[in-house]
Amino acid sequence: MIGRLNHVAIAVPDLEAATALYRDTLGARVSQPVAQAAHGVTVVFVELPNTKIELLHPLGETSPIAAFLAKNPSGGIHHVCYEVDDIYAARDRLKAEGARVLGDGEPKIGAHDKPVLFLHPKDFCGTLVELEQR
Ligand code: CO
């Protein structure tokens, strides 16, 4: 069911320092910071030949990654995102298998303007999983 790894998201306490690390130390192509107010994050996209890394930094008071950074002050992997061909079919199959879909179970428009869902980390090896419509 799942297809390509679309991205790995890493929460970072210092977005400028993390961007410099990926650009200068690791030699990757990085974007300008993109504020995504609807998602409570500022994102820097790191383009790799086969996937992307997204550096996430909290934006606003109610950012969903603020608590994560409070628990992981030096940052850490926040979620992985897999592509699916049909997000509704994927959701229905996962629910039938007993997996928990976060929120109200309806896909939301994600960071790339495509429908996404998040799956409960306790059901997926301790990892928050995002599914994105291909
Ligand atoms: Co994501």
Side-chain angles (χ1 to χ4, degrees), residues 9-13 54-57 65 68-69 72 74-78:
I10 302 177
V12 300
E54 294 183 1
L55 304 174
L56 305 181
H57 188 72
I65 62 164
F68 181 91
L69 278 175
N72 304 273
S74 53
I77 293 180
H78 184 263

Side-chain angles (χ1 to χ4, degrees), residues 6-9 54 56 78-81 111-112 116 118 130 132:
N6 185 277
H7 61 271
V8 175
E54 294 183 1
L56 305 181
H78 184 263
H79 64 267
V80 296
C81 177
H112 312 115
V116 302
F118 285 91
E130 179 180 17
E132 183 176 292

